[in-house]
Amino acid sequence: MEQKYPEVKKYRPDIEGLRGFAIICVIIYHLNSNFLPGGFLGVDIFFVISGFLITSSIQNGIKNSSFKFIPFIKSFYKKRFLRIYPSLIIYFLIFFLISLFQNPNPGITIRTGLSSIFGLSNLYLASTNLEYFGHALSSNPFLITWSLSLEIQFYILFPILIFLAKKFFSTQYLK
């Protein structure tokens, strides 16, 4: 029987409000960057929310002396995978097919899409040495996945860092 890891279950309307605000910032920015020059603020808000939720979940387990790395990883990643990947895969398939027929040079687009499936599109995009706002990338429908890749990498690395900190340092610093 799979052990469920305790998570913060209290519904947080303030977090839902922040998510809504973040989405509005990103949409307005993408409609016209002059309307909201700091539109990437929405992405930053999503990062803060993710950090808060994962830290709260880990902190709850530490306070209850029930934080176990492997059960946490299984439970947490399963939920995140089921939340993120169905939409990402559908998005990938749609734009993959469109790119094959509409893009005269679909190579970068397809490679960005494939790297997004593995949570690495930010690293791939950085390795292309193309200007982020240049034409070659601005028409890439997978350009938006750089932030999702950062989030996936954060989900992988942060629990490992907390686990190592718990293992090698007093838990008084993790409260």
Side-chain angles (χ1 to χ4, degrees):
M1 181 176 193
E2 184 179 334
Q3 178 184 356
K4 290 226 177 226
Y5 189 80
E7 291 206 28
V8 179
K9 294 184 194 249
K10 182 179 174 191
Y11 174 72
R12 299 284 309 263
D14 53 336
I15 291 177
E16 290 298 315
L18 283 173
R19 282 184 178 136
F21 179 73
I23 290 168
I24 290 169
C25 287
V26 171
I27 289 171
I28 290 172
Y29 178 80
H30 284 292
L31 287 174
N32 185 335
S33 62
N34 293 325
F35 292 154
L36 189 63
F40 284 112
L41 171 68
V43 175
D44 296 338
I45 292 170
F46 275 114
F47 289 148
V48 170
I49 291 170
S50 293
F52 172 76
L53 293 175
I54 194 170
T55 303
S56 297
S57 181
I58 293 170
Q59 186 179 31
N60 187 37
I62 290 171
K63 280 182 182 177
N64 297 337
S65 298
S66 63
F67 181 73
K68 304 264 189 280
F69 187 68
I70 299 301
F72 173 81
I73 293 298
K74 285 172 120 178
S75 174
F76 188 82
Y77 292 137
K78 179 180 176 185
K79 288 178 185 174
R80 294 317 173 266
F81 181 85
L82 292 173
R83 180 179 60 86
I84 293 171
Y85 274 87
S87 299
L88 179 60
I89 290 170
I90 290 169
Y91 185 86
F92 171 78
L93 291 173
I94 289 169
F95 285 102
F96 173 79
L97 291 173
I98 291 171
S99 291
L100 287 177
F101 297 107
Q102 296 292 322
N103 194 336
N105 184 10
I108 290 174
T109 302
I110 291 170
R111 285 190 295 273
T112 309
L114 287 172
S115 64
S116 72
I117 297 294
F118 296 101
L120 300 171
S121 62
N122 61 326
L123 300 176
Y124 171 71
L125 289 166
S127 74
T128 63
N129 294 323
L130 295 172
E131 185 180 334
Y132 184 80
F133 294 105
H135 178 69
L137 288 182
S138 66
S139 62
N140 186 337
F142 297 106
L143 185 63
I144 63 169
T145 63
W146 71 267
S147 60
L148 181 60
S149 292
L150 278 177
E151 186 174 358
I152 290 168
Q153 292 161 18
F154 175 77
Y155 285 156
I156 292 169
L157 295 175
F158 192 68
I160 293 169
L161 292 174
I162 294 294
F163 175 73
L164 292 173
K166 181 182 180 283
K167 187 173 180 95
F168 295 109
F169 301 104
S170 170
T171 57
Q172 74 181 14
Y173 299 113
L174 299 174
K175 294 182 180 180

